[in-house]
Amino acid sequence: MTRQPQPQPPRRLRCAIYTRKSSEEGLDMEFNSLDAQREACEAYIASQKAEGWVCLRDRYDDGGFSGGTLERPALKHLIADIEDGLIDIVVVYKIDRLSRALMDFSKLVEIFDKHGVTFVSVTQSFNTTTSMGRLTLNILLSFAQFEREVIGERIRDKVAASRKKGIWMGGPVPLGYNVKDRKLIVDPAEAETVRTIFTLYARSSSTAQVVRELDARAILTKTGRPYDKTSLLKTLHNKAYRGLAVHKGTAYPGEHDEIIDEKLWDDVHEAIANNRYLRKAAAQEPSPALLRGLIFTETGVAMTPHHTKKGTRRYRYYVSMDVIKKRPKAELRGPQRLPGGMVEDAVVGEIRRLLRTPEVAARVSRTLRKDRPDLGEDAISASLTQFDEMWNALIPAEQARVVRLLVARVTASEAGLSVDLRHEGLGAIAALMAPSKPEVA
């Protein structure tokens, strides 16, 4: 008697369920949209049990992510598992759950085909292995993309119409306001802080100065961070403080109350414009040569300022007159060309170091003893240590005058730079930075 061959069990097909919802609304419910999608997919997989379909336990749920992009954590996890050979079939409730963009979906189908993965939509029956199935898929995706674009246009139109009516449409809440019933409400304490920021800037000469003042007063942004130049200027340009609602550069009267009046707003923006003009003028003005007429080679030959330009950049040097006059190289000793910025920084650094030495303080004390007998050596030493603070407050032209007052000669040699100070200049600088002379009653 011939034995009949036993039928082979179907190959086990691992099914991954992918679910997605564009908004986070309703996701905190006990049974939400993602759960409903997964339940329908699980039921479909169970109906294909005879074909060997098995539902994987891993969940690939993207709640609150748009279908117009592939930047979704669960989708990336799904693709990674496909590339690792852990999935045979991807099951979704509708194809627009996987993607609403035709180009993105084409990329996903290419990944599926490359790894032998089948794509199944529970509510839309088609087979992607045939040309007719692919045509059907492309038609459905085109309508999905069209629907997404129409929804986007409706939302943008609604936002524009609401902004024209002055309605708050969400986003980061400015310092000085709180949101109540989807409206901006003035916070009195924060509003006073905003007025302080605007007042400080209206009286200032630079953005950096205001940032330092805000840091000293421990004034923070709405998110609790210290102010920097970017966040400060963003605050100063926020027209919400004038009671306006802005949409695509156009301002409309807002529903909320203003915090900054027109005069203070105009004063601040006039100061911003002036500071911008001064910064531009300072950037365009060539930096003065601090060591003009003061720097020499070790053979006593003067080094003169020189510059070259490459594109919009300007490079400064100090060049020996031996090089400029093209004297024989055999006669040259020591460095003949030095970068301007580097050598100037080195000289100023040496001045700082010398001003802190006891020897210089003692010499300056003896020089000032006749005119300022009230100043002891300790007071003079303390005043000389304030050089950095004074230097940073000076504009380049004033810094050049201070260097000429303090420096008698700079010698550039193979061993480095040697700085000779003018002691009478040291006395003048010390007297300038020292405490005022007490008045006699």
Side-chain angles (χ1 to χ4, degrees):
M1 185 175 179
T2 305
R3 294 183 60 185
Q4 296 292 330
Q6 295 295 322
Q8 295 294 324
R11 185 171 71 91
R12 184 172 176 267
L13 299 175
R14 297 160 297 179
C15 301
I17 298 174
Y18 177 78
T19 63
R20 182 187 64 80
K21 188 177 187 297
S22 297
S23 67
E24 297 182 356
E25 185 179 356
L27 291 180
D28 55 350
M29 297 173 60
E30 184 176 351
F31 187 78
N32 56 43
S33 174
L34 301 181
D35 296 327
Q37 293 177 46
R38 184 171 184 85
E39 185 178 84
C41 292
E42 287 176 343
Y44 186 86
I45 293 171
S47 69
Q48 303 297 316
K49 184 177 181 180
E51 303 296 328
W53 289 28
V54 177
C55 182
L56 296 177
R57 293 182 179 179
D58 290 349
R59 295 182 70 102
Y60 304 92
D61 302 331
D62 274 323
F65 289 90
S66 168
T69 175
L70 296 181
E71 295 300 317
R72 292 171 260 160
L75 181 61
K76 290 183 176 180
H77 183 197
L78 176 71
I79 293 173
D81 286 352
I82 289 173
E83 292 173 343
D84 291 340
L86 304 178
I87 296 172
D88 299 307
I89 301 173
V90 175
V91 182
V92 296
Y93 182 71
K94 289 177 64 177
I95 60 170
D96 64 358
R97 297 302 88 191
L98 194 62
S99 177
R100 280 180 174 267
L102 187 58
M103 293 299 296
D104 289 345
F105 199 92
S106 299
K107 294 176 184 177
L108 292 174
V109 170
E110 185 177 345
I111 295 173
F112 294 166
D113 290 346
K114 180 180 179 181
H115 295 89
V117 173
T118 305
F119 169 68
V120 174
S121 170
V122 171
T123 59
Q124 297 153 319
S125 179
F126 56 84
N127 186 351
T128 58
T129 61
T130 66
S131 58
M132 184 58 69
R134 289 183 180 275
L135 174 61
T136 304
L137 175 62
N138 287 336
I139 292 172
L140 291 173
L141 282 172
S142 296
F143 277 102
Q145 180 167 329
F146 171 74
E147 182 184 5
R148 179 173 64 89
E149 292 173 354
V150 168
I151 292 172
E153 289 175 359
R154 289 173 182 167
I155 293 173
R156 286 190 291 272
D157 291 343
K158 180 180 178 182
V159 170
S162 299
R163 295 301 279 173
K164 289 179 182 179
K165 293 180 180 179
I167 300 173
W168 169 252
M169 293 301 294
V173 180
L175 180 71
Y177 293 99
N178 293 320
V179 176
K180 184 178 181 180
D181 298 329
R182 301 181 66 180
K183 292 184 178 181
L184 289 179
I185 306 298
V186 174
D187 182 308
E190 290 186 2
E192 192 59 37
T193 300
V194 172
R195 294 188 191 98
T196 299
I197 293 172
F198 274 75
T199 302
L200 286 173
Y201 200 96
R203 298 172 180 174
S204 74
S205 58
S206 73
T207 305
Q209 177 185 344
V210 179
V211 169
R212 289 193 296 270
E213 180 65 23
L214 295 178
D215 188 53
R217 298 190 184 196
I219 294 178
L220 306 176
T221 65
K222 186 77 170 181
T223 57
R225 296 182 179 181
Y227 272 96
D228 55 23
K229 290 184 179 180
T230 302
S231 56
L232 174 59
L233 290 174
K234 187 175 181 181
T235 297
L236 297 175
H237 283 92
N238 192 341
K239 293 185 179 180
Y241 295 126
R242 289 286 298 119
L244 301 174
V246 180
H247 181 68
K248 292 187 176 181
T250 304
Y252 305 95
E255 289 186 332
H256 60 283
D257 295 330
E258 67 176 29
I259 292 177
I260 303 300
D261 60 40
E262 185 176 1
K263 183 180 184 305
L264 181 55
W265 178 271
D266 292 342
D267 289 346
V268 165
H269 285 266
E270 183 179 354
I272 292 173
N274 290 338
N275 291 341
R276 187 181 296 119
Y277 172 78
L278 293 174
R279 286 196 303 272
K280 183 178 180 181
Q284 292 175 346
E285 182 181 351
S287 299
L290 295 182
L291 305 179
R292 183 190 297 274
L294 300 175
I295 185 168
F296 300 84
T297 67
E298 58 186 302
T299 59
V301 177
M303 300 186 76
T304 185
H306 183 70
H307 76 272
T308 59
K309 292 190 73 174
K310 186 174 182 181
T312 58
R313 301 193 66 177
R314 187 171 182 267
Y315 300 89
R316 297 189 302 111
Y317 302 92
Y318 287 94
V319 183
S320 167
M321 290 301 297
D322 285 338
V323 173
I324 293 175
K325 293 184 177 181
K326 299 181 180 179
R327 289 173 181 152
K329 291 186 177 180
E331 301 178 8
L332 306 182
R333 289 175 54 191
Q336 301 297 309
R337 182 190 296 267
L338 295 170
M342 184 190 75
V343 71
E344 289 169 359
D345 289 345
V347 170
V348 174
E350 181 65 8
I351 292 173
R352 290 190 178 102
R353 187 189 69 79
L354 291 172
L355 292 180
R356 291 186 174 92
T357 60
E359 296 82 1
V360 169
R363 186 184 293 270
V364 173
S365 179
R366 288 194 296 271
T367 303
L368 289 179
R369 192 164 294 163
K370 293 181 181 179
D371 296 330
R372 294 293 306 273
D374 59 297
L375 290 178
E377 190 170 322
D378 291 342
I380 291 173
S381 297
S383 65
L384 290 175
T385 59
Q386 298 172 13
F387 175 78
D388 285 355
E389 184 177 342
M390 181 198 72
W391 180 265
N392 293 331
L394 299 177
I395 63 174
E398 293 170 337
Q399 290 176 345
R401 286 195 290 271
V402 168
V403 169
R404 292 185 178 280
L405 185 64
L406 291 178
V407 177
R409 184 184 181 94
V410 177
T411 303
S413 64
E414 294 289 354
L417 295 174
S418 174
V419 180
D420 297 327
L421 296 180
R422 294 183 185 275
H423 297 293
E424 62 275 16
L426 285 172
I429 292 296
L432 179 65
M433 295 185 294
S436 302
K437 190 172 182 179
E439 296 181 2
V440 179

